[in-house]
Amino acid sequence: MAAVPTSVPAPHHTPGATPSASHAGYPVACAVCGGSDSTPVMARTTASAWVVCRGCGLVFQSPRVDQAAIVERYVDGDYHRRRGGVPEHYVAYSLRRSRAAIAWAIEQSAVQPEHGAARGIGGGGGGALLELEARGFRVRGVEPDPVRSEIARERFDLDVQTGLFDETTPTGGDLALAYSCHVWEHLADPVATARAAHEALSPRRGVVAVG
């Protein structure tokens, strides 16, 4: 299985702000409307806080850590190992959540992708990929957390690579569907990831579904 490159273009940040060298974070504007007026909604640590844009309602991480910190946290780090691994109840919850999200997305009138190749961006433990596979898609995934990607491969026999999705990630042909859930708010540059996913889609009827 080919390794997934982890480099993406440098993240966009608020003019005048200095990107952090590690996990300090820097304030960012909304990637959708460009607005800087936001309301805090959740904070887990000093380096992980989410806000909601007052202009368009997008939820995103701000302050946002830089790309090097994202790689260290998920790809090169021990995000779950230092928490004692991934508990069984989380695996079960992830499967339920992913399957329910896929079922809802596919049933929307505006989201009717043709069956073909599907890519899970931030594939987690494989819940969404299992549901897509059951619905007739040829599935592959990219997951930055090595513990969860191993669960997808070893436990569910899924083709999930460890790494970050970007424009250089092999997709195996035009995608009918690119899917992710609870991923984009963690990214150093969600706009670059969205652009890479769009470029990988089939020109006929490709769909990006983000939860």
Side-chain angles (χ1 to χ4, degrees):
M1 184 180 299
V4 180
T6 58
S7 61
V8 298
H12 302 292
H13 58 90
T14 303
T18 301
S20 67
S22 57
H23 298 274
Y26 53 90
V28 294
C30 175
V32 172
C33 70
S36 58
D37 189 11
S38 60
T39 301
V41 291
M42 184 174 67
R44 291 179 178 171
T45 69
T46 56
S48 185
W50 283 265
V51 299
V52 58
C53 175
R54 290 184 178 180
C56 68
L58 179 71
V59 176
F60 58 98
Q61 195 171 171
S62 183
R64 181 178 293 159
V65 297
D66 60 17
Q67 180 68 9
I70 293 290
V71 171
E72 180 183 336
R73 179 179 297 173
Y74 293 108
V75 180
D76 295 335
D78 55 354
Y79 183 71
H80 281 295
R81 289 192 180 94
R82 59 189 168 142
R83 291 168 172 79
V86 179
E88 185 60 30
H89 69 82
Y90 179 84
V91 175
Y93 162 71
S94 180
L95 291 173
R96 292 195 307 272
R97 181 186 72 182
S98 297
R99 287 169 175 169
I102 286 289
W104 178 87
I106 296 297
E107 289 168 3
Q108 302 309 299
S109 59
V111 182
Q112 295 293 331
E114 59 189 17
H115 283 178
R119 169 71 74 166
I121 300 173
L129 294 179
L130 286 172
E131 179 65 21
L132 288 169
E133 189 174 57
R135 290 173 177 267
F137 289 90
R138 304 187 309 277
V139 299
R140 299 177 72 189
V142 178
E143 165 58 43
D145 183 347
V147 178
R148 286 193 282 186
S149 61
E150 183 177 8
I151 289 173
R153 290 190 299 270
E154 300 300 324
R155 185 164 175 175
F156 301 116
D157 196 28
L158 292 166
D159 182 358
V160 176
Q161 300 169 310
T162 302
L164 295 170
F165 182 88
D166 68 7
E167 73 280 0
T168 68
T169 303
T171 59
D174 290 340
L175 297 180
L177 175 68
Y179 175 82
S180 65
C181 183
H182 289 284
V183 171
W184 298 63
E185 67 270 26
H186 297 276
L187 299 173
D189 192 347
V191 174
T193 302
R195 188 178 297 114
H198 182 267
E199 291 298 320
L201 292 171
S202 165
R204 299 183 298 278
R205 204 177 181 189
V207 174
V208 176
V210 179

